[in-house]
Amino acid sequence: MAKLPYVALVGQTNAGKSALFNRLYGSQEAIVAREPGTTRDNVVRKVTLDETHAFWLIDTAGMKPAEDEFEASIQDQIADATELADIIIVVVDGTLQPADADKHIAKLALKSKKPVILAINKTDKRGAYKDEEFLRLGIKTIIRTSAEHNAGVKELVGHIVTHVPAQLQQIEEDSENQPIKLALIGRPNVGKSYLFNTLAGKQQAIVANVAGTTRDVNRVAVQYKGRTMEILDTAGVRRSGKREQGIEKFSVLRTLAAIDEADVCCLVMDVNELNT
Ligand SMILES: Nc1nc2c(ncn2[C@@H]2O[C@H](COP(=O)(O)OP(=O)(O)O)[C@@H](O)[C@H]2O)c(=O)[nH]1
Ligand SMILES: [Mg+2]
């Protein structure tokens, strides 16, 4: 199967990202916060719209001023989300005039040159501002939503789907010729990449890097007994310092996507860490 696009919900804390996430997913699985700032973790779900359209939906923690390192890492998560995502949904609270934080988030999103949709949420509330109030954010596609009343969600999905490429239903017919996909999964540092390089290196003469798909997973095609096998290494790019926390979360997303794509998963463990 081809790689599914990532759709990320970004925006300030309390804008209603998690509520919209739930509506988009069509269930109440993720927990909607009753208090601001309690849904800090990124959540990812595969949303299948029909036989040919599906995407990964990412709920990103809200952004607050960088008062400490922890908050700063949340800002990093937004930067990561806009980097990772193929489609970005900026969520704002429609009852509040756009703040500097909203402008900053919109700017980050637009800078990515990816499709950006503005969801003006909480439009069920009295005192929700008109679209004009939000034009200064510079986002052209504007959808008014109420996650609470499940309003505008279909329209939002309609706009998302225009950016989601249809997956050809070639799985049945082509499966004979499709390479077997093996994903190497496991905790950081257990030796996934080493194994990957070894598997790839042994086949040096016939190894070909699979083009255009190396953004979040290292992959290599190897020949084995006349069949092509594609190996996915989910280690991801490691960066140091305080970005670590956000990066770790995104490598979890990448791993989930790789597991979904793969035919076979190989869990790699360090025997010295069996007790942990
Ligand atoms: N009235 C109203 N409340 C909403 C709407 N969407 C979210 N909320 C409420 O706003 C609060 C924050 O929502 P949440 O989804 O956690 O925001 P997040 O921080 O952006 O993820 C929660 O108490 C929600 O119930 C909406 O469309 N209308
Ligand atoms: Mg949330």
Side-chain angles (χ1 to χ4, degrees), residues 72-276:
S73 89
I74 291 174
Q75 289 202 34
D76 284 341
Q77 285 184 42
I78 293 195
D80 284 334
T82 54
E83 201 181 300
L84 177 82
D86 300 292
I87 300 152
I88 302 157
I89 303 171
V90 176
V91 185
V92 293
D93 183 336
T95 66
L96 304 172
Q97 284 188 314
D100 285 346
D102 297 305
K103 283 176 214 161
H104 180 65
I105 293 167
K107 214 167 130 186
L108 265 178
L110 290 167
K111 210 175 86 186
S112 72
K113 306 274 182 227
K114 291 164 185 170
V116 182
I117 300 168
L118 176 66
I120 302 175
N121 192 41
K122 306 197 186 182
T123 51
D124 58 285
K125 281 184 137 181
R126 267 202 291 161
Y129 290 102
K130 294 196 172 120
D131 290 4
E132 287 77 71
E133 210 59 54
F134 298 91
L135 291 179
R136 74 184 76 158
L137 294 176
I139 301 168
K140 297 226 167 59
T141 308
I142 299 176
I143 315 282
R144 296 179 75 80
T145 61
S146 165
E148 195 91 342
H149 294 213
N150 206 7
V153 175
K154 269 192 187 150
E155 209 186 337
L156 183 57
V157 170
H159 276 273
I160 294 170
V161 86
T162 62
H163 300 290
V164 175
Q167 309 272 322
L168 295 174
Q169 287 300 80
Q170 59 184 6
I171 306 141
E172 298 295 316
E173 312 141 39
D174 275 9
S175 60
E176 286 285 296
N177 304 320
Q178 293 284 316
I180 298 164
K181 291 190 182 177
L182 170 73
L184 302 177
I185 59 171
R187 288 169 51 178
N189 279 324
V190 292
K192 293 186 297 296
S193 295
Y194 190 83
L195 184 60
F196 174 85
N197 289 333
T198 308
L199 288 169
K202 282 227 172 91
Q203 305 272 332
Q204 210 90 62
I206 36 173
V207 162
N209 275 315
V210 181
T213 42
T214 51
R215 188 171 46 142
D216 22 51
V217 184
N218 284 322
R219 45 182 86 209
V220 68
V222 299
Q223 294 290 332
Y224 183 73
K225 292 194 173 173
R227 284 200 69 168
T228 307
M229 183 164 75
E230 198 172 322
I231 305 171
L232 317 183
D233 176 15
T234 60
V237 187
R238 288 285 232 132
R239 276 175 269 185
S240 58
K242 66 182 180 191
R243 287 177 69 86
E244 198 66 17
Q245 198 191 0
I247 291 303
E248 283 305 313
K249 286 196 177 118
F250 278 89
S251 36
V252 171
L253 300 189
R254 292 180 183 111
T255 301
L256 279 172
I259 290 171
D260 185 64
E261 189 188 331
D263 303 300
V264 183
C265 290
C266 175
L267 177 64
V268 185
M269 293 173 79
D270 182 340
V271 288
N272 301 305
E273 278 181 32
L274 283 180
N275 296 331
T276 63

